[in-house]
Amino acid sequence: MTNAEILEKIHRGVIVSCQALPDEPLYGYHFMGKMALAAKEGGAVGIRANTVSDILDIRKEVDLPVIGIIKSVYEDSDVYITPTMAEVDALAEVGVEIIALDATDRPRPNGGALDSFFKAVREKYPDQLFMADCSCFEDCAHAAALGFDLVGTTLCGYTEKTRGTEIPNYALLDRITHELSVPVIAEGGVWERGQLQKVFSYPVHAAVVGTAITRPRDITRRFVEAIS
């Protein structure tokens, strides 16, 4: 698919985030591949996935566009979503349609800055679609100016300056979809169908739903807490 075809494929649809961390029961094996298949059968237009191994398993099960990330922790930085060129290289090699990376203003590993990092990334992979995982309007505007192909609200509520922000952040979605010309991916905090409907009342390009669909431990805990 061309980049235009990829963007059209996911337009106004639900992308399902199929991820499991090492401390979760569904981590490893082929669980995320089957989770992606279930998502596709339910009508998902794309998959967001973490790690090369999960992406390879997902590729065996579905032919949907993949937003790929690699979460890596570096001691000198709070940035963990595709933080360095090593992770970008690994995702490019596996052939994901879209690579997402942290586009906040936080220092990157080895004291790097987003501007110089993304310039190097774009020069190395000029034809790759890149999504900016952002926390606020300023992040999104800066990412758009840098040349990211999409901006997402992924990190709203997860950075120091946005901690405590209620998500989904409808005010943020309203502003970025009307003030910026880059396609917007709404991501974060969608638990209910009504919330998703409200998200799509804005001119978002697509929305990512993760935990509410693909993390049974968290889903179960939420129901149990309702009667506690």
Side-chain angles (χ1 to χ4, degrees):
M1 286 187 287
T2 66
N3 285 349
E5 288 170 337
I6 293 166
L7 293 176
E8 179 59 30
K9 178 91 172 176
I10 65 173
H11 185 241
R12 300 297 286 177
V14 174
I15 298 163
V16 174
S17 181
C18 297
Q19 300 181 45
L21 297 175
D23 67 337
E24 295 181 272
L26 296 187
Y27 178 76
Y29 192 53
H30 302 298
F31 294 122
M32 290 305 105
K34 295 302 182 183
M35 191 74 80
L37 178 58
K40 179 183 178 180
E41 291 182 353
V45 299
I47 303 294
R48 181 169 164 122
N50 172 40
T51 76
V52 167
S53 58
D54 276 0
I55 291 167
L56 290 174
D57 279 340
I58 288 166
R59 287 288 201 211
K60 295 174 184 176
E61 300 289 345
V62 303
D63 57 357
L64 298 176
V66 172
I67 300 174
I69 65 171
I70 295 178
K71 293 180 177 176
S72 298
V73 176
Y74 290 81
E75 291 184 0
D76 62 345
S77 175
D78 290 332
V79 172
Y80 61 90
I81 298 177
T82 320
T84 75
M85 189 66 80
E87 289 83 19
V88 173
D89 288 342
L91 291 167
E93 185 172 345
V94 79
V96 295
E97 284 77 12
I98 301 168
I99 294 175
L101 55 94
D102 183 308
T104 66
D105 61 2
R106 298 177 295 181
R108 308 188 74 84
N110 300 314
L114 174 64
D115 293 41
S116 55
F117 174 65
F118 188 66
K119 180 181 179 182
V121 165
R122 179 59 86 190
E123 287 177 353
K124 191 170 186 178
Y125 300 105
D127 300 321
Q128 173 72 52
L129 288 171
F130 287 98
M131 173 178 166
D133 285 349
C134 301
S135 70
C136 61
F137 177 80
E138 290 73 21
D139 289 346
C140 294
H142 187 58
L146 288 177
F148 277 86
D149 303 285
L150 308 106
V151 299
T153 55
T154 317
L155 290 169
C156 183
Y158 296 96
T159 62
E160 193 60 40
K161 67 181 178 183
T162 64
R163 206 171 306 282
T165 301
E166 185 176 346
I167 53 175
N169 187 338
Y170 301 117
L172 176 60
L173 287 174
D174 184 31
R175 189 175 181 193
I176 59 179
T177 54
H178 288 101
E179 293 187 29
L180 303 179
S181 58
V182 64
V184 172
I185 305 293
E187 181 170 3
V190 173
W191 273 100
E192 309 287 353
R193 294 197 305 170
Q195 291 176 314
L196 186 62
Q197 289 169 335
K198 186 167 182 177
V199 162
F200 275 97
S201 72
Y202 304 102
V204 297
H205 192 83
V208 175
V209 182
T211 300
I213 296 174
T214 58
R215 283 201 159 107
R217 184 177 65 185
D218 292 343
I219 297 166
T220 302
R221 181 180 293 131
R222 186 163 174 265
F223 277 98
V224 171
E225 287 174 350
I227 61 168
S228 297

